[in-house]
């Protein structure tokens, strides 16, 4: 009597099915995706970086996330100035008007946008050149945020507007860090030597 869990019975001279070893695979080559026909070419995302086994980025998706981060940072600056000055009637120390707009609200929006854009460029360069881009980027953003938050205290004026300005910079820096590192985790690819 044969065992239903075993598809062959050696007592009757049946041989087990041949074991096929998996095809040889070179280390570093991608495996065949499930549901992908072997004769179809694999579609690879457009990446940047060198041909060495380092990190690269899906360029289009990274910069789309970076531009979204720029928009969020600009809106944080705009909303902070509007809520603090117009709604709560609190005075916030104005930030540098980089483009001569003459409006504190526009100056905050542009300062947040420029900060986020520069941070995205720095992160992009770190991914292409450093071994631990997220760590270096975290330190750069933290130090830049601390410096920008400390600048309002250099005037020795009223403390409340300086504190509010520092809080806005801390919120902008935190948002830029979290959004860009989130974008990085979704767009970074391990480049294979080739």
């Amino acid at each position: 009597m044969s065992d239903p869990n075993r598809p062959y019975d050696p007592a009757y001279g049946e041989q087990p099915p041949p074991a096929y070893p998996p095809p040889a695979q070179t280390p570093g080559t991608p495996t065949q995706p499930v549901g992908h026909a072997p004769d179809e070419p694999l579609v690879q995302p457009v990446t940047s970086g060198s041909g060495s086994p380092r990190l690269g980025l899906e360029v289009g998706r990274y910069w789309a996330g970076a531009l979204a981060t720029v928009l969020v940072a600009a809106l944080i600056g705009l909303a902070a100035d509007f809520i603090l000055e117009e709604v709560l009637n609190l005075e916030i120390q104005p930030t540098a008007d980089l483009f001569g707009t003459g409006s504190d609200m526009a100056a905050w929006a542009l300062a947040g946008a420029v900060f986020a854009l520069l941070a995205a460029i720095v992160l992009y360069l770190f991914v292409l050149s450093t071994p631990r881009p997220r760590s270096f980027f975290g330190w750069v953003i933290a130090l830049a945020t601390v410096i920008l938050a400390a600048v309002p205290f250099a005037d020795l004026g009223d403390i409340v507007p300086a504190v509010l300005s520092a809080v806005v910079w801390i919120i902008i820096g935190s948002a830029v860090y979290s959004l860009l590192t989130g974008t990085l985790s979704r767009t970074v690819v391990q480049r294979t030597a080739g």
Side-chain angles (χ1 to χ4, degrees):
M1 187 159 157
S2 67
D3 183 0
N5 294 328
R6 192 159 52 171
Y8 65 93
D9 192 348
Y12 291 100
E14 295 177 0
Q15 297 296 319
Y20 295 104
Q25 184 175 352
T26 325
T29 58
T31 57
Q32 190 70 22
V34 177
H36 190 273
D39 56 344
E40 293 178 17
L42 289 173
V43 177
Q44 296 293 332
V46 178
T47 61
S48 65
S50 64
S52 63
R54 292 186 180 179
L55 299 179
L57 286 173
E58 294 180 38
V59 178
R61 290 181 67 216
Y62 174 79
W63 284 110
L67 290 177
T69 302
V70 168
L71 177 63
V72 169
L75 289 174
I76 290 172
L78 182 81
D81 187 76
F82 177 76
I83 291 170
L84 292 173
E85 291 198 347
E86 303 297 325
V87 176
L88 300 176
N89 290 322
L90 296 172
E91 185 181 343
I92 182 173
Q93 178 116 6
T95 189
D97 193 359
L98 301 174
F99 298 99
T101 61
S103 163
D104 288 347
M105 199 177 300
W108 272 107
L110 288 171
V114 168
F115 180 79
L117 182 61
L118 291 176
I121 292 169
V122 167
L123 180 57
Y124 182 80
L125 295 174
F126 280 166
V127 169
L128 299 182
S129 61
T130 61
R132 295 180 61 194
R134 191 184 307 258
S135 298
F136 289 109
F137 179 69
W139 275 100
V140 167
I141 289 296
L143 292 171
T145 302
V146 166
I147 291 168
L148 290 169
V151 166
F153 296 99
D155 277 347
L156 298 178
D158 193 5
I159 193 73
V160 174
V163 168
L164 292 175
S165 179
V167 168
V168 172
W169 276 118
I170 290 169
I171 293 170
I172 290 173
S174 301
V176 167
Y177 175 78
S178 66
L179 291 172
L180 285 178
T181 54
T183 298
L184 178 67
S185 65
R186 295 291 185 172
T187 58
V188 72
V189 291
Q190 185 75 36
R191 297 184 60 84
T192 56

